[in-house]
Amino acid sequence: MSGRVALVGAGPGDPALLTRKAVALLRRADLVLYDALVPPAMLKIARRARRFYVGKRAGRHSMTQDAINRLMVRAARRGDRVVRLKCGDPFVFGRGGEEAMALRAANIPVEIVPGVTSAFAAPALAGIPVTHRGAATAVVLVSGHAAEAYEPLLNGLEPGSATVVVLMGLGRRAAVADHLIQRGWPAETPAAIVFGAAHPDGQTWHGLLGELGRASVADFSAPGTIVIGSVVALAPFIGSEVEPVLERRRTAGRG
Ligand SMILES: C[S@@+](CC[C@H](N)C(=O)[O-])C[C@H]1O[C@@H](n2cnc3c(N)ncnc32)[C@H](O)[C@@H]1O
């Protein structure tokens, strides 16, 4: 029996943004273990596979990381071709590295299949280039989860010198904005939140850094990516696949 595990990036949500390798592996899979942000349409590609949700979202853990690792090892030892399907890219805030190491430690063959990360796809689909000649020549990607992780990095940035992209940051959007403003970033710096990029109901909030904390996110159950920097102002000139949030909603969030 020689099973194996592929850690596969599902991209931001649209099945058309899956890589060809991801599609081929899904078609051949015996077992698919998928995360919260993987849309059902994508799972249909894995016609012959058993499919299990093992996701975690906003602290609601359906299965511990250890249990997921054990499940993958057991299935591969049984001879299954396992696809571990993760949103975006498996190695960008996706614990893909931990899973790969656990599998290697158990002598299970592992294949890594990169995916289109929402960190860059969400801004792109909203018409925001994260780098742009004359506007931003660098981009900084942080998780909004823990201030002790992002603050030292943001402290080292000259105000306005880079585009800042924040994943998992909706709950801490006010803290991130306040921190940047305290470090000298103008409150008028353009900012956006791209909700559910590459999903049919995706929407984008546009505003200023000083308004970010008051942006209304309650209407959205979709995940959101925060983008801060002058490149955000290019969106009207580039065009967007992600609907702008209605002005009514934006105003409602200002209270
Ligand atoms: C646990 S991280 C995983 C990131 C993923 N590995 C990637 O490369 O995109 C989840 C965060 O990614 C962002 N995200 C994922 N899918 C998204 C989408 N379709 N639109 C906007 N943001 C998304 C959100 O910030 C969300 O909180």
Side-chain angles (χ1 to χ4, degrees):
M1 294 281 226
S2 65
R4 52 194 303 116
V5 178
L7 294 180
V8 177
D14 180 352
L17 292 175
L18 277 167
T19 63
R20 290 168 67 169
K21 194 163 197 178
V23 171
L25 285 162
L26 281 168
R27 286 199 176 129
R28 287 201 301 267
D30 301 304
L31 175 66
V32 176
L33 304 175
Y34 63 97
D35 276 349
L37 300 175
V38 172
M42 219 169 259
L43 298 172
K44 287 189 189 147
I45 299 168
R47 286 185 289 258
R48 49 190 298 281
R50 302 175 327 273
R51 308 164 200 162
F52 287 112
Y53 172 74
V54 294
K56 333 173 180 43
R57 191 150 183 224
R60 293 195 303 273
H61 289 227
S62 73
M63 208 183 258
T64 64
Q65 190 61 53
D66 273 354
I68 297 171
N69 295 351
R70 282 199 301 274
L71 184 59
M72 290 191 289
V73 169
R74 252 199 334 265
R77 285 196 176 138
R78 220 171 33 224
D80 280 353
R81 282 168 297 198
V82 181
V83 168
R84 173 72 176 102
L85 191 61
K86 291 170 163 291
C87 92
D89 183 279
F91 281 3
V92 178
F93 298 131
R95 304 188 78 166
E98 285 170 54
E99 294 184 7
M101 288 194 281
L103 290 160
R104 294 248 190 255
N107 282 322
I108 304 294
V110 189
E111 183 175 9
I112 311 297
V113 183
V116 175
T117 178
S118 57
F120 299 141
L125 293 170
I128 303 166
V130 289
T131 65
H132 187 82
R133 195 153 53 94
T137 51
V139 55
V140 170
L141 171 61
V142 296
S143 155
H145 239 83
E148 59 275 20
Y150 65 74
E151 281 185 359
L153 190 68
L154 298 183
N155 290 349
L157 278 184
E158 186 69 21
S161 63
T163 304
V164 177
V165 175
V166 189
L167 297 191
M168 297 179 282
L170 294 185
R172 299 194 62 90
R173 65 195 185 286
V176 172
D178 289 349
H179 188 78
L180 287 171
I181 291 168
Q182 275 166 24
R183 303 296 304 184
W185 287 60
E188 296 73 32
T189 305
I193 309 175
V194 189
F195 296 96
H199 290 256
D201 52 355
Q203 288 208 296
T204 307
W205 172 90
H206 278 273
L208 303 174
L209 184 59
E211 301 170 332
L212 190 60
R214 285 169 283 148
S216 175
V217 299
D219 288 348
F220 303 98
S221 54
T225 290
I226 299 170
V227 195
I228 300 162
S230 56
V231 289
V232 172
L234 299 172
F237 304 101
I238 290 176
S240 169
E241 284 198 11
V242 191
E243 284 291 305
V245 173
L246 300 175
E247 190 57 28
R248 178 177 57 77
R249 283 195 175 145
R250 213 183 118 184
T251 315
R254 285 197 177 142

